Coordinates of all heavy atoms in Angstrom, one line a residue:
E182 N 16.0 1.3 16.2 CA 15.5 2.1 17.3 C 14.6 1.4 18.3 O 14.5 1.8 19.4 CB 14.9 3.4 16.7 CG 15.8 4.2 15.8 CD 15.1 5.3 15.0 OE1 14.0 5.7 15.5 OE2 15.6 5.7 14.0
R183 N 13.8 0.5 17.8 CA 12.9 -0.2 18.7 C 13.4 -1.6 19.2 O 13.5 -1.8 20.4 CB 11.6 -0.4 17.9 CG 10.9 0.8 17.5 CD 10.4 1.7 18.8 NE 9.2 1.0 19.4 CZ 9.0 1.0 20.7 NH1 9.9 1.6 21.5 NH2 7.9 0.4 21.2
A184 N 13.8 -2.5 18.3 CA 14.3 -3.8 18.7 C 15.8 -3.8 19.1 O 16.3 -4.7 19.7 CB 14.0 -4.8 17.6
E185 N 16.5 -2.7 18.7 CA 17.9 -2.6 18.9 C 18.7 -3.9 18.6 O 19.5 -4.4 19.3 CB 18.2 -2.3 20.4 CG 17.5 -0.9 20.8 CD 17.8 -0.5 22.2 OE1 18.2 -1.4 23.0 OE2 17.5 0.6 22.6
L186 N 18.5 -4.3 17.3 CA 19.2 -5.5 16.8 C 20.7 -5.3 16.8 O 21.2 -4.2 16.5 CB 18.8 -5.8 15.4 CG 19.4 -6.9 14.7 CD1 19.0 -8.3 15.3 CD2 19.1 -6.9 13.2
K187 N 21.5 -6.3 17.3 CA 22.9 -6.2 17.4 C 23.6 -7.2 16.5 O 23.1 -8.2 16.2 CB 23.3 -6.4 18.8 CG 22.8 -5.3 19.8 CD 23.1 -5.7 21.2 CE 22.6 -4.6 22.2 NZ 21.1 -4.6 22.2
A188 N 24.9 -6.9 16.2 CA 25.7 -7.8 15.4 C 25.8 -9.1 16.2 O 26.0 -9.1 17.4 CB 27.1 -7.2 15.1
G189 N 25.7 -10.2 15.4 CA 25.8 -11.5 16.0 C 24.5 -12.1 16.5 O 24.4 -13.3 16.8
E190 N 23.4 -11.3 16.6 CA 22.1 -11.8 16.9 C 21.4 -12.5 15.7 O 21.8 -12.3 14.6 CB 21.3 -10.7 17.5 CG 21.7 -10.2 18.9 CD 20.7 -9.3 19.5 OE1 20.2 -8.4 18.8 OE2 20.5 -9.5 20.7
T191 N 20.4 -13.2 16.0 CA 19.6 -13.9 15.0 C 18.3 -13.1 14.8 O 17.6 -12.8 15.7 CB 19.3 -15.3 15.3 OG1 20.5 -16.1 15.4 CG2 18.4 -16.0 14.3
L192 N 18.0 -12.8 13.5 CA 16.8 -12.0 13.1 C 15.9 -12.9 12.2 O 16.4 -13.5 11.3 CB 17.2 -10.8 12.3 CG 16.1 -10.0 11.6 CD1 15.1 -9.4 12.6 CD2 16.7 -9.0 10.7
L193 N 14.7 -13.0 12.6 CA 13.7 -13.7 11.8 C 12.8 -12.6 11.1 O 12.2 -11.8 11.8 CB 12.8 -14.6 12.6 CG 11.6 -15.2 11.9 CD1 12.0 -16.1 10.7 CD2 10.7 -16.0 12.9
V194 N 12.8 -12.6 9.8 CA 12.0 -11.7 9.0 C 10.8 -12.4 8.4 O 11.0 -13.3 7.5 CB 12.8 -11.1 7.8 CG1 11.9 -10.1 7.0 CG2 14.0 -10.3 8.4
Q195 N 9.6 -12.1 8.9 CA 8.4 -12.7 8.4 C 8.0 -11.9 7.1 O 8.2 -10.7 7.0 CB 7.3 -12.6 9.4 CG 7.5 -13.4 10.7 CD 7.4 -14.9 10.6 OE1 7.6 -15.5 9.6 NE2 6.9 -15.5 11.7
G196 N 7.4 -12.6 6.1 CA 6.9 -12.0 4.9 C 8.1 -11.4 4.1 O 8.1 -10.2 3.8
A197 N 9.1 -12.2 3.8 CA 10.3 -11.7 3.1 C 10.0 -11.1 1.8 O 10.9 -10.3 1.3 CB 11.3 -12.8 3.0
G198 N 8.9 -11.4 1.1 CA 8.7 -10.9 -0.2 C 8.1 -9.5 -0.3 O 8.0 -8.9 -1.3
S199 N 7.7 -9.0 0.9 CA 7.1 -7.6 0.9 C 8.2 -6.6 0.8 O 9.4 -6.8 0.9 CB 6.4 -7.4 2.3 OG 7.3 -7.4 3.3
G200 N 7.8 -5.3 0.5 CA 8.7 -4.3 0.5 C 9.5 -4.1 1.8 O 10.7 -4.0 1.8
V201 N 8.8 -4.1 2.9 CA 9.4 -3.9 4.2 C 10.3 -5.1 4.6 O 11.3 -5.0 5.2 CB 8.4 -3.5 5.3 CG1 7.6 -4.8 5.7 CG2 9.0 -2.9 6.5
G202 N 9.8 -6.3 4.1 CA 10.6 -7.5 4.4 C 12.0 -7.5 3.6 O 13.0 -7.9 4.2
T203 N 11.9 -7.1 2.4 CA 13.2 -7.0 1.6 C 14.2 -6.0 2.2 O 15.4 -6.2 2.1 CB 12.9 -6.7 0.1 OG1 12.3 -5.4 0.0 CG2 12.0 -7.7 -0.6
A204 N 13.6 -4.9 2.7 CA 14.5 -3.9 3.4 C 15.1 -4.5 4.6 O 16.3 -4.3 4.9 CB 13.7 -2.7 3.7
A205 N 14.3 -5.2 5.4 CA 14.7 -5.8 6.7 C 15.8 -6.8 6.5 O 16.8 -6.8 7.3 CB 13.5 -6.4 7.5
I206 N 15.7 -7.6 5.5 CA 16.8 -8.6 5.3 C 18.1 -7.9 5.1 O 19.1 -8.3 5.7 CB 16.4 -9.5 4.0 CG1 15.3 -10.4 4.3 CG2 17.7 -10.3 3.6 CD1 14.7 -11.1 3.1
Q207 N 18.1 -6.9 4.2 CA 19.3 -6.2 3.9 C 19.9 -5.4 5.2 O 21.1 -5.4 5.4 CB 19.1 -5.1 2.8 CG 18.7 -5.8 1.5 CD 18.5 -4.7 0.5 OE1 19.4 -4.0 0.0 NE2 17.2 -4.5 0.0
M208 N 19.0 -4.8 5.9 CA 19.4 -4.1 7.1 C 20.0 -5.1 8.2 O 21.0 -4.7 8.9 CB 18.2 -3.3 7.7 CG 17.8 -2.2 6.8 SD 16.3 -1.4 7.4 CE 16.1 -0.1 6.1
G209 N 19.4 -6.2 8.3 CA 19.9 -7.2 9.2 C 21.3 -7.6 8.9 O 22.2 -7.7 9.8
K210 N 21.6 -7.8 7.6 CA 23.0 -8.2 7.2 C 23.9 -7.0 7.4 O 25.1 -7.2 7.7 CB 23.0 -8.7 5.7 CG 22.2 -9.9 5.5 CD 22.6 -11.1 6.4 CE 24.0 -11.5 6.3 NZ 24.4 -12.6 7.2
L211 N 23.4 -5.8 7.1 CA 24.3 -4.6 7.3 C 24.7 -4.4 8.7 O 25.8 -4.1 9.0 CB 23.5 -3.3 6.8 CG 24.2 -2.0 6.8 CD1 25.4 -2.0 5.9 CD2 23.3 -0.9 6.5
I212 N 23.8 -4.7 9.6 CA 24.1 -4.6 11.1 C 25.0 -5.8 11.5 O 25.7 -5.6 12.5 CB 22.7 -4.6 11.9 CG1 22.0 -3.3 11.6 CG2 23.0 -4.8 13.4 CD1 20.5 -3.4 12.1
G213 N 25.0 -6.9 10.8 CA 25.8 -8.0 11.2 C 25.1 -9.2 11.8 O 25.7 -10.0 12.5
A214 N 23.8 -9.2 11.6 CA 23.0 -10.3 12.2 C 22.9 -11.5 11.3 O 23.2 -11.4 10.1 CB 21.6 -9.8 12.5
R215 N 22.6 -12.6 11.9 CA 22.2 -13.8 11.1 C 20.8 -13.7 10.8 O 19.9 -13.5 11.7 CB 22.5 -15.1 12.0 CG 22.2 -16.4 11.2 CD 22.3 -17.5 12.2 NE 22.3 -18.8 11.5 CZ 22.2 -20.0 12.1 NH1 22.2 -20.1 13.4 NH2 22.2 -21.1 11.4
V216 N 20.4 -13.8 9.5 CA 19.1 -13.5 9.0 C 18.4 -14.8 8.6 O 18.9 -15.5 7.6 CB 19.1 -12.5 7.9 CG1 17.6 -12.2 7.4 CG2 19.6 -11.1 8.4
I217 N 17.2 -15.1 9.2 CA 16.4 -16.1 8.7 C 15.1 -15.4 8.1 O 14.6 -14.5 8.8 CB 15.9 -17.1 9.9 CG1 17.2 -17.7 10.5 CG2 15.0 -18.2 9.3 CD1 16.8 -18.4 11.8
A218 N 14.7 -15.9 7.0 CA 13.5 -15.2 6.3 C 12.4 -16.3 6.1 O 12.8 -17.5 5.8 CB 13.9 -14.6 5.0
S219 N 11.2 -15.9 6.1 CA 10.1 -16.8 5.7 C 9.4 -16.2 4.5 O 9.1 -15.0 4.5 CB 9.1 -17.0 6.9 OG 8.3 -15.9 7.1
T220 N 9.0 -17.1 3.6 CA 8.3 -16.7 2.4 C 7.5 -17.9 1.9 O 7.5 -18.9 2.5 CB 9.2 -16.0 1.4 OG1 8.4 -15.4 0.3 CG2 10.2 -17.0 0.8
S221 N 6.9 -17.7 0.7 CA 5.9 -18.7 0.3 C 6.2 -19.5 -1.0 O 5.5 -20.5 -1.2 CB 4.6 -18.0 0.1 OG 4.7 -17.0 -0.9
T222 N 7.2 -19.2 -1.8 CA 7.4 -19.9 -3.1 C 8.9 -20.1 -3.3 O 9.7 -19.4 -2.8 CB 6.8 -19.1 -4.3 OG1 7.6 -18.0 -4.5 CG2 5.4 -18.8 -4.1
P223 N 9.3 -21.1 -4.1 CA 10.7 -21.4 -4.4 C 11.3 -20.1 -5.1 O 12.5 -19.8 -4.8 CB 10.6 -22.5 -5.4 CG 9.4 -23.3 -5.0 CD 8.4 -22.2 -4.7
E224 N 10.6 -19.4 -5.9 CA 11.1 -18.2 -6.5 C 11.4 -17.1 -5.5 O 12.5 -16.5 -5.5 CB 10.1 -17.7 -7.6 CG 9.9 -18.6 -8.8 CD 9.0 -19.7 -8.5 OE1 8.2 -19.7 -7.4 OE2 8.9 -20.7 -9.2
K225 N 10.5 -16.9 -4.6 CA 10.8 -15.9 -3.5 C 11.9 -16.4 -2.6 O 12.6 -15.5 -2.1 CB 9.5 -15.7 -2.7 CG 8.4 -14.9 -3.6 CD 7.2 -14.6 -2.7 CE 6.1 -13.9 -3.5 NZ 5.0 -13.5 -2.7
I226 N 12.0 -17.7 -2.4 CA 13.1 -18.2 -1.5 C 14.5 -17.8 -2.2 O 15.4 -17.3 -1.5 CB 13.0 -19.7 -1.3 CG1 11.9 -20.0 -0.4 CG2 14.3 -20.3 -0.8 CD1 11.6 -21.5 -0.3
E227 N 14.6 -18.0 -3.5 CA 15.8 -17.7 -4.2 C 16.1 -16.2 -4.1 O 17.3 -15.8 -3.9 CB 15.7 -18.1 -5.6 CG 17.0 -17.9 -6.4 CD 18.2 -18.7 -5.8 OE1 18.0 -19.7 -5.2 OE2 19.3 -18.1 -5.9
R228 N 15.1 -15.4 -4.3 CA 15.3 -13.9 -4.2 C 15.7 -13.5 -2.8 O 16.6 -12.6 -2.7 CB 13.9 -13.2 -4.6 CG 13.5 -13.4 -6.0 CD 14.3 -12.6 -7.0 NE 14.2 -11.2 -6.8 CZ 13.3 -10.4 -7.3 NH1 12.2 -10.9 -7.9 NH2 13.3 -9.1 -7.0
A229 N 15.1 -14.1 -1.8 CA 15.5 -13.7 -0.4 C 17.0 -14.1 -0.2 O 17.7 -13.3 0.5 CB 14.6 -14.4 0.6
R230 N 17.4 -15.2 -0.7 CA 18.8 -15.6 -0.6 C 19.7 -14.6 -1.3 O 20.8 -14.3 -0.8 CB 19.1 -17.0 -1.1 CG 18.4 -18.1 -0.3 CD 18.9 -19.5 -0.8 NE 18.2 -20.6 -0.1 CZ 18.5 -21.0 1.1 NH1 19.5 -20.5 1.8 NH2 17.8 -22.0 1.6
E231 N 19.3 -14.1 -2.4 CA 20.1 -13.2 -3.2 C 20.3 -11.9 -2.4 O 21.3 -11.2 -2.5 CB 19.5 -12.9 -4.5 CG 19.5 -14.1 -5.5 CD 18.7 -13.8 -6.8 OE1 18.1 -12.7 -6.9 OE2 18.7 -14.7 -7.6
L232 N 19.3 -11.5 -1.6 CA 19.4 -10.3 -0.8 C 20.2 -10.5 0.5 O 20.6 -9.5 1.1 CB 18.0 -9.9 -0.3 CG 17.0 -9.3 -1.4 CD1 15.7 -9.0 -0.7 CD2 17.6 -8.0 -1.9
G233 N 20.6 -11.7 0.8 CA 21.5 -12.0 1.9 C 21.0 -12.8 3.0 O 21.7 -13.1 4.0
A234 N 19.8 -13.3 2.9 CA 19.2 -14.2 3.9 C 20.1 -15.4 4.1 O 20.4 -16.1 3.1 CB 17.8 -14.6 3.6
D235 N 20.5 -15.8 5.3 CA 21.3 -17.0 5.5 C 20.5 -18.2 5.4 O 21.0 -19.3 4.9 CB 21.9 -16.9 6.9 CG 22.8 -15.6 7.1 OD1 23.9 -15.6 6.5 OD2 22.4 -14.7 7.7
E236 N 19.2 -18.2 5.9 CA 18.3 -19.3 5.8 C 17.0 -18.8 5.4 O 16.6 -17.7 5.8 CB 18.2 -20.1 7.1 CG 19.5 -20.6 7.7 CD 20.0 -21.8 7.0 OE1 19.2 -22.4 6.2 OE2 21.2 -22.2 7.2
V237 N 16.2 -19.6 4.6 CA 14.9 -19.2 4.2 C 13.9 -20.3 4.4 O 14.2 -21.5 4.0 CB 14.9 -18.7 2.7 CG1 13.5 -18.2 2.3 CG2 16.0 -17.7 2.4
I238 N 12.8 -20.0 5.0 CA 11.8 -21.0 5.3 C 10.6 -20.8 4.4 O 10.1 -19.7 4.2 CB 11.3 -20.9 6.7 CG1 12.5 -21.1 7.7 CG2 10.2 -21.9 7.1 CD1 12.2 -20.6 9.1
N239 N 10.1 -21.9 3.8 CA 8.8 -21.9 3.0 C 7.7 -22.2 4.0 O 7.5 -23.3 4.3 CB 8.9 -22.9 1.9 CG 7.7 -22.8 0.9 OD1 6.6 -22.4 1.4 ND2 7.8 -23.2 -0.3
Y240 N 7.0 -21.1 4.4 CA 6.0 -21.3 5.4 C 4.8 -22.1 5.0 O 4.0 -22.6 5.8 CB 5.5 -20.0 6.0 CG 4.8 -19.1 5.1 CD1 3.4 -19.3 4.8 CD2 5.4 -18.0 4.5 CE1 2.7 -18.5 3.9 CE2 4.7 -17.1 3.6 CZ 3.4 -17.4 3.3 OH 2.7 -16.6 2.5
K241 N 4.6 -22.3 3.7 CA 3.5 -23.2 3.2 C 3.9 -24.7 3.3 O 3.0 -25.5 3.2 CB 3.2 -22.8 1.7 CG 2.5 -21.4 1.6 CD 2.0 -21.2 0.2 CE 1.2 -19.9 0.1 NZ 0.7 -19.7 -1.3
E242 N 5.1 -25.0 3.4 CA 5.6 -26.4 3.5 C 6.2 -26.8 4.8 O 6.3 -28.0 5.1 CB 6.5 -26.7 2.3 CG 5.9 -26.4 0.9 CD 6.9 -26.7 -0.2 OE1 8.1 -27.0 0.1 OE2 6.5 -26.7 -1.4
E243 N 6.6 -25.8 5.6 CA 7.3 -26.1 6.8 C 6.8 -25.3 8.0 O 6.2 -24.2 7.8 CB 8.8 -25.7 6.7 CG 9.5 -26.4 5.5 CD 10.9 -25.9 5.3 OE1 11.1 -24.8 4.9 OE2 11.9 -26.6 5.7
S244 N 7.0 -25.7 9.2 CA 6.7 -25.0 10.4 C 7.8 -23.9 10.6 O 8.9 -24.2 10.6 CB 6.6 -25.9 11.6 OG 6.7 -25.2 12.8
I245 N 7.3 -22.7 10.6 CA 8.3 -21.6 10.8 C 9.1 -21.8 12.1 O 10.3 -21.8 12.1 CB 7.7 -20.2 10.8 CG1 7.0 -19.9 9.4 CG2 8.7 -19.1 11.1 CD1 6.2 -18.6 9.3
S246 N 8.3 -21.9 13.2 CA 9.0 -22.1 14.5 C 9.8 -23.3 14.6 O 10.9 -23.3 15.2 CB 8.0 -22.0 15.6 OG 7.0 -23.1 15.5
G247 N 9.4 -24.4 14.0 CA 10.1 -25.7 14.0 C 11.5 -25.5 13.3 O 12.5 -26.0 13.8
R248 N 11.4 -24.9 12.1 CA 12.7 -24.7 11.4 C 13.6 -23.7 12.1 O 14.8 -23.8 12.1 CB 12.4 -24.2 10.0 CG 11.9 -25.2 9.0 CD 13.1 -26.2 8.6 NE 14.0 -25.5 7.8 CZ 15.3 -25.5 8.0 NH1 15.9 -26.1 9.0 NH2 16.1 -24.8 7.1
V249 N 13.0 -22.6 12.7 CA 13.9 -21.7 13.5 C 14.6 -22.4 14.6 O 15.8 -22.2 14.8 CB 13.0 -20.5 14.0 CG1 13.8 -19.7 15.0 CG2 12.6 -19.6 12.8
R250 N 13.9 -23.2 15.3 CA 14.5 -24.0 16.4 C 15.6 -24.9 15.9 O 16.7 -25.0 16.5 CB 13.5 -24.8 17.2 CG 12.6 -24.0 18.1 CD 11.5 -24.9 18.7 NE 12.0 -26.1 19.3 CZ 12.5 -26.2 20.6 NH1 12.5 -25.1 21.3 NH2 12.9 -27.3 21.1
E251 N 15.4 -25.5 14.8 CA 16.4 -26.4 14.1 C 17.6 -25.6 13.7 O 18.7 -26.0 14.0 CB 15.7 -27.1 12.9 CG 16.7 -28.1 12.2 CD 16.0 -28.7 11.0 OE1 14.8 -28.8 11.0 OE2 16.8 -29.0 10.0
I252 N 17.4 -24.5 13.1 CA 18.5 -23.6 12.5 C 19.3 -23.1 13.7 O 20.5 -22.9 13.6 CB 17.9 -22.5 11.7 CG1 17.3 -23.1 10.4 CG2 19.0 -21.5 11.3 CD1 16.5 -22.1 9.6
T253 N 18.7 -22.7 14.8 CA 19.3 -22.0 15.9 C 19.7 -22.9 17.0 O 20.2 -22.5 18.1 CB 18.5 -20.9 16.5 OG1 17.2 -21.5 17.0 CG2 18.1 -19.9 15.4
G254 N 19.6 -24.2 16.8 CA 20.0 -25.2 17.9 C 19.0 -25.0 19.1 O 19.5 -25.0 20.2
K255 N 17.8 -24.8 18.8 CA 16.7 -24.6 19.8 C 16.7 -23.3 20.5 O 15.8 -23.0 21.4 CB 16.7 -25.8 20.8 CG 16.5 -27.1 20.2 CD 16.4 -28.2 21.3 CE 16.2 -29.6 20.7 NZ 16.1 -30.6 21.8
A256 N 17.6 -22.4 20.2 CA 17.7 -21.1 20.9 C 16.6 -20.2 20.5 O 16.1 -19.4 21.3 CB 19.1 -20.5 20.6
G257 N 16.2 -20.1 19.2 CA 15.2 -19.2 18.7 C 15.8 -17.9 18.2 O 17.1 -17.7 18.2
A258 N 15.0 -17.0 17.7 CA 15.4 -15.8 17.1 C 15.4 -14.6 18.2 O 14.5 -14.5 18.9 CB 14.5 -15.4 16.0
D259 N 16.5 -13.9 18.2 CA 16.6 -12.8 19.2 C 15.6 -11.7 18.9 O 15.1 -11.1 19.8 CB 18.1 -12.2 19.2 CG 19.1 -13.3 19.6 OD1 19.1 -13.7 20.7 OD2 19.9 -13.7 18.7
V260 N 15.5 -11.5 17.6 CA 14.5 -10.4 17.1 C 13.6 -11.0 16.0 O 14.1 -11.7 15.1 CB 15.2 -9.2 16.5 CG1 14.2 -8.2 15.9 CG2 16.0 -8.5 17.6
V261 N 12.3 -10.8 16.2 CA 11.4 -11.3 15.1 C 10.7 -10.0 14.5 O 10.2 -9.2 15.2 CB 10.3 -12.2 15.7 CG1 9.3 -12.6 14.6 CG2 10.9 -13.4 16.4
F262 N 10.9 -9.9 13.2 CA 10.4 -8.8 12.5 C 9.0 -9.1 11.9 O 8.9 -9.9 11.0 CB 11.4 -8.5 11.3 CG 11.1 -7.3 10.5 CD1 11.7 -6.0 10.8 CD2 10.2 -7.3 9.4 CE1 11.4 -4.9 10.0 CE2 10.0 -6.2 8.6 CZ 10.6 -5.0 8.9
E263 N 8.0 -8.5 12.5 CA 6.6 -8.8 12.1 C 5.9 -7.7 11.4 O 6.1 -6.5 11.7 CB 5.8 -9.1 13.4 CG 5.4 -10.6 13.6 CD 4.4 -11.1 12.7 OE1 3.8 -10.3 11.9 OE2 4.2 -12.3 12.6
H264 N 5.0 -8.0 10.5 CA 4.1 -7.0 9.9 C 3.0 -7.8 9.2 O 2.1 -7.1 8.6 CB 4.9 -6.2 8.8 CG 5.5 -7.1 7.7 ND1 5.0 -7.3 6.5 CD2 6.7 -7.8 7.8 CE1 5.7 -8.1 5.8 NE2 6.8 -8.5 6.5
V265 N 3.0 -9.1 9.3 CA 2.0 -9.9 8.6 C 0.7 -10.1 9.4 O -0.4 -10.0 8.9 CB 2.6 -11.3 8.3 CG1 1.6 -12.2 7.6 CG2 3.9 -11.2 7.5
G266 N 0.8 -10.3 10.7 CA -0.4 -10.4 11.6 C -0.9 -11.8 11.8 O -0.1 -12.7 12.1
D267 N -2.2 -12.0 11.6 CA -2.8 -13.2 11.9 C -2.1 -14.5 11.4 O -2.0 -15.5 12.1 CB -4.3 -13.2 11.4 CG -5.2 -12.4 12.2 OD1 -4.8 -11.9 13.3 OD2 -6.4 -12.3 11.8
A268 N -1.7 -14.4 10.2 CA -1.1 -15.6 9.5 C 0.2 -16.1 10.1 O 0.5 -17.2 10.0 CB -0.9 -15.3 8.0
T269 N 1.0 -15.2 10.8 CA 2.3 -15.6 11.3 C 2.5 -15.3 12.8 O 3.5 -15.7 13.4 CB 3.4 -14.8 10.5 OG1 3.2 -13.4 10.6 CG2 3.4 -15.3 9.1
W270 N 1.6 -14.6 13.4 CA 1.8 -14.1 14.8 C 2.1 -15.2 15.8 O 3.1 -15.1 16.6 CB 0.7 -13.2 15.3 CG 0.9 -12.6 16.6 CD1 0.4 -12.9 17.8 CD2 1.8 -11.5 16.9 NE1 0.9 -12.1 18.8 CE2 1.7 -11.3 18.3 CE3 2.6 -10.7 16.1 CZ2 2.5 -10.2 18.9 CZ3 3.4 -9.7 16.7 CH2 3.3 -9.5 18.1
A271 N 1.3 -16.2 15.8 CA 1.5 -17.3 16.7 C 2.9 -18.0 16.5 O 3.6 -18.3 17.5 CB 0.4 -18.4 16.6
E272 N 3.3 -18.1 15.3 CA 4.6 -18.7 15.0 C 5.7 -17.8 15.4 O 6.8 -18.2 15.7 CB 4.7 -19.0 13.5 CG 3.9 -20.3 13.1 CD 4.5 -21.5 13.7 OE1 5.6 -22.0 13.3 OE2 3.9 -22.0 14.7
S273 N 5.5 -16.5 15.3 CA 6.5 -15.5 15.7 C 6.7 -15.6 17.2 O 7.9 -15.6 17.7 CB 6.1 -14.1 15.4 OG 6.1 -13.9 14.0
I274 N 5.7 -15.8 18.0 CA 5.8 -16.0 19.4 C 6.6 -17.2 19.7 O 7.5 -17.2 20.5 CB 4.4 -16.0 20.1 CG1 3.6 -14.7 19.9 CG2 4.6 -16.4 21.6 CD1 4.2 -13.6 20.7
K275 N 6.3 -18.3 19.0 CA 7.0 -19.6 19.2 C 8.4 -19.5 18.8 O 9.3 -20.2 19.4 CB 6.3 -20.7 18.5 CG 4.9 -21.1 18.9 CD 4.3 -22.2 18.1 CE 2.9 -22.5 18.5 NZ 2.3 -23.5 17.6
S276 N 8.7 -18.7 17.8 CA 10.1 -18.6 17.2 C 11.0 -17.8 18.0 O 12.3 -17.9 17.9 CB 10.0 -18.1 15.8 OG 9.2 -18.9 15.0
A277 N 10.5 -16.9 18.9 CA 11.4 -15.9 19.6 C 12.2 -16.7 20.7 O 11.8 -17.6 21.3 CB 10.5 -14.9 20.3
A278 N 13.4 -16.2 20.8 CA 14.3 -16.7 21.8 C 14.0 -16.2 23.2 O 13.2 -15.3 23.4 CB 15.8 -16.3 21.5
Y279 N 14.6 -16.8 24.3 CA 14.5 -16.3 25.6 C 14.9 -14.8 25.6 O 16.0 -14.5 25.1 CB 15.3 -17.2 26.6 CG 15.2 -16.8 28.0 CD1 14.1 -17.2 28.8 CD2 16.2 -16.1 28.7 CE1 14.0 -16.8 30.1 CE2 16.1 -15.8 30.0 CZ 15.0 -16.2 30.7 OH 14.9 -15.8 32.0

Side-chain angles (χ1 to χ4, degrees):
E182 299 172 23
R183 297 295 286 145
E185 299 181 347
L186 178 68
K187 300 175 179 62
E190 290 190 315
T191 297
L192 167 67
L193 169 62
V194 177
Q195 301 281 33
S199 67
V201 74
T203 60
I206 291 172
Q207 296 179 69
M208 290 174 182
K210 296 308 297 180
L211 182 65
I212 292 167
R215 182 187 190 186
V216 177
I217 304 171
S219 76
T220 191
S221 59
T222 69
E224 293 77 18
K225 291 183 178 182
I226 288 173
E227 184 59 33
R228 295 286 299 278
R230 291 188 186 280
E231 291 172 358
L232 287 177
D235 298 288
E236 302 284 348
V237 187
I238 301 167
N239 186 332
Y240 65 78
K241 289 190 174 181
E242 298 180 355
E243 305 173 286
S244 161
I245 295 174
S246 59
R248 282 288 290 131
V249 169
R250 283 174 54 82
E251 180 182 331
I252 293 167
T253 62
K255 298 183 180 181
D259 299 292
V260 173
V261 179
F262 184 94
E263 252 289 350
H264 58 99
V265 180
D267 282 357
T269 57
W270 184 255
E272 285 295 285
S273 291
I274 297 290
K275 293 179 183 178
S276 298
Y279 184 75

